Amino acid sequence: MKQTSGIDELPGELLMWVLIFSELLVFGAGLLAFMAVRLTDPSGFAEAQSALYRTGAAMNTAVLVTSGFLAAKGLEYRRKDRRVQARLSLVAAAALGCVFLIVKGAEYVGKAAQGISYETHPFFMFYYLLTGFHAAHVVAGVMVLLLVAWRDDTGNIEAGAQFWHMVDLVWVLLFPVVYLLG
C-alpha cells in the first residue's frame, strides 16, 4: 500500500497551490502592515475610511462571491461533460470580474475627483496599494477564466477556478479590514 501525504491529497496542481500560498502571504503582509500603521493614528484612519464607498465595496463582495460560485459550477459542469454550460459559467464568472473592475474603477475616479490620492493620508496609500494589487489579480483572473473557458480541459478549469477562488478570498479579507473595521 502506497503511503500518501497531505500534499498528495490537494486537488489541482501543486504549483498553483504554491502560487496561491505565496499570493496570500503577500496580501497578508500588506494587511498586517495596514493594521500596524492604523494603530499609530486610529482617528486619522477612521476619518479617511469614512470617505470610502462601502455600498459599492459590499456590492463587489457579492459580485466576486457569485463569480466564484459560477467558476465552481463551470468545473462541475465540465466534469459532467456539459461543455457548453461549463463555458457559459466561466464566461459569466469572468463577466462578473469585469463588473467588479468597473465598480472599483468608479470608486477610484470618485476619489480622484475629491482630490484623494495615495499621498492624502497613509490610509489611502494602503487603500490604493492593497485594492489596486487586488484589482490587478482580478484582471489576471478574468483572463485566466476566459482562457480556460476556451481551452476547457478539466485540469485547466480546476487551476483557473483555484486562482479565482484565491482572488475571492483576498477580497473577502480586504473588504472588512479596509472598509469596515474602525
Side-chain angles (χ1 to χ4, degrees):
M1 176 182 252
K2 182 182 173 189
Q3 188 173 6
T4 62
S5 70
I7 290 176
D8 295 326
E9 310 257 338
L10 285 174
E13 295 293 322
L14 177 61
L15 287 180
M16 182 55 75
W17 285 109
V18 170
L19 173 69
I20 288 169
F21 184 70
S22 65
E23 293 295 323
L24 290 175
L25 286 175
V26 170
F27 277 105
L31 285 170
L32 286 173
F34 173 83
M35 292 187 291
V37 174
R38 178 190 298 185
L39 291 174
T40 66
D41 183 15
S43 62
F45 268 64
E47 182 181 338
Q49 185 184 52
S50 71
L52 296 183
Y53 181 48
R54 291 181 175 141
T55 303
M59 184 176 82
N60 264 347
T61 303
V63 164
L64 280 187
V65 170
T66 303
S67 72
F69 171 77
L70 289 170
K73 289 301 285 185
L75 178 59
E76 179 186 319
Y77 286 140
R78 184 61 183 96
R79 285 182 173 153
K80 293 178 179 176
D81 207 27
R82 295 169 61 188
R83 293 178 81 177
V84 171
Q85 290 94 335
R87 286 178 167 160
L88 289 173
S89 290
L90 293 166
V91 169
L96 287 175
C98 292
V99 169
F100 176 93
L101 292 169
I102 290 167
V103 173
K104 180 55 59 196
E107 185 177 345
Y108 288 160
V109 167
K111 295 290 153 278
Q114 295 171 354
I116 296 173
S117 76
Y118 66 92
E119 295 177 328
T120 303
H121 186 273
F123 173 89
F124 288 108
M125 179 194 66
F126 282 107
Y127 162 77
Y128 284 114
L129 179 68
L130 291 168
T131 62
F133 192 50
H134 178 263
H137 282 76
V138 173
V139 169
V142 165
M143 291 188 293
V144 166
L145 288 170
L146 293 173
L147 182 63
V148 301
W150 175 51
R151 303 285 269 178
D152 68 337
D153 173 81
T154 303
N156 290 344
I157 294 173
E158 185 171 46
Q162 282 177 273
F163 183 82
W164 194 245
H165 292 318
M166 181 271 301
V167 171
D168 286 349
L169 173 62
V170 167
W171 183 255
V172 167
L173 297 172
L174 283 177
F175 173 59
V177 172
V178 173
Y179 287 84
L180 303 177
L181 296 179

